[in-house]
Amino acid sequence: MSTGPGADSVPAPTTPDSPPVPERRSTMFSSLKIRNYRLFFIGQVVSNIGTWMQRIAQDWLVLSLTGSATAVGVTTALQFLPMLLFGLYGGVLVDRLPKRRALLVTQSAMAVTGIVLALLTLTGHVQVWHVYVAACAVGLATVVDNPARQSFVSEMVGPDQLQNAVSLNSANFQSARLVGPAVAGLMITGVGTGWAFLFNGLSYVAPIAGLLLMRARELHVVERAPRGKGQLREGLHYVAGRPDLIWTIVLVGFIGTFGFNFPVYLSAFADDVFHAGAGSYSLFNTLMAIGSLAGALLAARRGTARMRVLIAAAVAFGTMELVAAAAPSLWLFALLMAPIGMFGMTVNVTANSSIQLTTDPAMRGRVMALYMMVFLGGTPVGAPIAGWITDTYGVRAGLAVGGVIAAAAAAGIGLVLARIGNLRLSMDWHRGHPRLGLVPREQREELARAA
């Protein structure tokens, strides 16, 4: 996890077989100097705007058709259920297939889904089950698309720029989140949700063109896994032997399942608590995106993935959700979306990059599929629960429960990792200020003897 030297950068627990991770120093946008990644990045900018527009339009359409937060939760669950059921098999396929070709297929499939949903909506024939089917179809494509996109980054930029590129991908996604919800809000109130779906379908032209224009000779060749029996089991055994991977995945599983149900929470806060319209829902998402973008850019500049940053950000994320659940006014609730987005994105980027940086390239597709399956696949479990709590006890209770679970899981896993790594709490002075941190027991004893 951590790659820096000394007490200031405490490593996550590793096994003797864990591959070494060299220290990486980079500027905030250094990976954009690589042509193939630059094409990929630009294509994703356009596509991500469309993705966010469809997310907002989809949630609002379901809420308009049914008037139920539970129905919004069901839609979200259907979109992520395929990842929960088939995510590991998607990782096996990604390790076998050429990733660029796989992405061309998955991106094309999602484009068709968006266009079909747009036509149904614009012609006035859309029903809630149509949205359910479209969400499930996108989820099926995501089973291969997500691990392929995650692991393809290393083929474009190589190991030296991987941390920076992963962070910039997240910044890209969150930058689009600044534009997408705002445009979606205007489009929904102005001309209807169908045009947002159409824009999303057409936006996939950009990433498909970027993939076709890449120079294959400039990609970093990664040996693909041959077809064979037991590859899924092999990937699970690999993760089972790596406590640093296991506990990171468990942590993001808790947060993804119970803390990231914002389509349910934010739509209900806008409609039921503050009695505002689609514009306020869009505002909440936009302010959260500002915080998420800040978190991603800070991660890009940091250059290393440290376990203490992951745990601290996860505790802060859960705590801020608790505070937001009790916010008495619309504007206070809206302002709290920024720190929630920042801490949530710090968790996401730090966990993602640390797993990629410490995983054997031949296993990366399967490990990232497991990571994405837990992170995104937990939503089918968490979203209906969040919707039920929201409908039964109110959205404030739903958000508070998610915050408590996220913070408690982070604190508990932090204690487990500290125990596995034989770490103890230490306090010293840095530039005239007290600083708390975790250091190995032996180092703490040496510092005590020196004192």
Side-chain angles (χ1 to χ4, degrees):
M1 295 292 190
S2 173
T3 60
D8 188 50
S9 181
V10 180
T14 58
T15 65
D17 297 328
S18 300
V21 182
E23 185 174 359
R24 293 167 176 81
R25 298 182 182 276
S26 62
T27 61
M28 187 175 290
F29 303 103
S30 57
S31 56
L32 289 177
K33 297 176 183 177
I34 301 170
R35 180 182 181 275
N36 283 344
Y37 179 71
R38 190 164 60 249
L39 288 169
F40 177 84
F41 185 90
I42 293 171
Q44 291 299 308
V45 168
V46 180
S47 178
N48 285 337
I49 291 173
T51 297
W52 278 112
M53 290 177 64
Q54 174 147 329
R55 284 192 180 187
I56 301 300
Q58 176 179 281
D59 296 337
W60 199 258
L61 176 61
V62 171
L63 194 63
S64 301
L65 291 172
T66 65
S68 169
T70 301
V72 178
V74 169
T75 307
T76 305
L78 287 172
Q79 186 161 333
F80 295 109
L81 182 62
M83 179 62 71
L84 179 63
L85 297 177
F86 310 115
L88 291 176
Y89 296 98
V92 172
L93 286 175
V94 167
D95 280 337
R96 293 177 182 173
L97 298 172
K99 296 176 182 58
R100 185 163 63 140
R101 294 179 186 175
L103 287 172
L104 285 169
V105 173
T106 57
Q107 297 281 293
S108 299
M110 288 189 279
V112 171
T113 302
I115 292 172
V116 170
L117 187 57
L119 293 176
L120 287 170
T121 306
L122 291 172
T123 57
H125 294 94
V126 69
Q127 299 179 33
V128 69
W129 71 268
H130 292 144
V131 186
Y132 288 164
V133 171
C136 191
V138 171
L140 286 171
T142 302
V143 168
V144 174
D145 185 81
N146 259 336
R149 256 189 309 115
Q150 299 288 336
S151 53
F152 187 52
V153 174
S154 64
E155 295 188 19
M156 289 185 287
V157 302
D160 291 341
Q161 294 294 336
L162 182 58
Q163 162 75 13
N164 181 263
V166 169
S167 300
L168 288 183
N169 280 349
S170 298
N172 184 334
F173 191 64
Q174 299 307 323
S175 298
R177 192 176 181 179
L178 294 173
V179 180
V183 175
L186 294 173
M187 196 169 285
I188 290 170
T189 57
V191 294
T193 55
W195 293 100
F197 297 140
L198 182 61
F199 182 94
N200 177 57
L202 297 177
S203 71
Y204 285 99
V205 172
I208 291 172
L211 289 167
L212 292 173
L213 291 172
M214 287 183 184
R215 296 170 182 165
R217 65 180 182 276
E218 295 179 6
L219 294 173
H220 294 255
V221 178
V222 174
E223 184 177 354
R224 298 199 300 271
R227 293 178 61 88
K229 295 182 179 180
Q231 290 179 323
L232 178 58
R233 185 169 58 252
E234 181 186 9
L236 293 175
H237 286 168
Y238 176 81
V239 174
R242 296 282 304 279
D244 54 327
L245 297 181
I246 290 175
W247 288 109
T248 300
I249 291 173
V250 169
L251 175 57
V252 299
F254 272 106
I255 292 178
T257 301
F258 300 103
F260 271 79
N261 294 301
F262 295 113
V264 178
Y265 299 140
L266 299 188
S267 59
F269 263 100
D271 195 45
D272 299 334
V273 177
F274 301 121
H275 307 291
S280 293
Y281 180 45
S282 175
L283 173 66
F284 296 157
N285 281 278
T286 301
L287 290 174
M288 185 177 289
I290 292 173
S292 299
L293 177 60
L297 291 177
L298 287 173
R301 187 170 184 175
R302 206 163 35 237
T304 56
R306 298 175 178 176
M307 179 56 68
R308 68 178 186 182
V309 174
L310 175 62
I311 297 298
V315 171
F317 172 78
T319 302
M320 293 307 298
E321 283 198 331
L322 276 172
V323 175
S329 67
L330 184 150
W331 288 107
L332 179 57
F333 179 83
L335 290 175
L336 287 169
M337 293 300 100
I340 287 175
M342 183 181 70
F343 291 124
M345 182 51 55
T346 301
V347 171
N348 189 4
V349 171
T350 305
N352 187 315
S353 56
S354 63
I355 287 175
Q356 290 208 55
L357 288 166
T358 57
T359 299
D360 186 332
M363 291 286 183
R364 190 169 287 142
R366 279 164 281 184
V367 174
M368 290 309 299
L370 178 61
Y371 168 81
M372 298 305 298
M373 184 192 77
V374 172
F375 183 61
L376 300 178
T379 303
V381 177
I385 294 174
W388 176 78
I389 295 174
T390 296
D391 285 340
T392 307
Y393 301 102
V395 65
R396 292 187 185 275
L399 183 58
V401 169
V404 168
I405 293 176
I413 290 172
L415 292 174
V416 169
L417 287 172
R419 187 174 183 83
I420 291 174
N422 199 25
L423 305 177
R424 293 294 182 269
L425 187 66
S426 175
M427 185 179 77
D428 59 2
W429 291 84
H430 180 68
R431 297 180 180 178
H433 299 284
R435 179 179 59 177
L436 291 174
L438 293 173
V439 299
R441 181 196 294 270
E442 296 79 3
Q443 183 174 344
R444 183 184 177 187
E445 292 174 351
E446 291 176 3
L447 292 173
R449 285 195 297 269

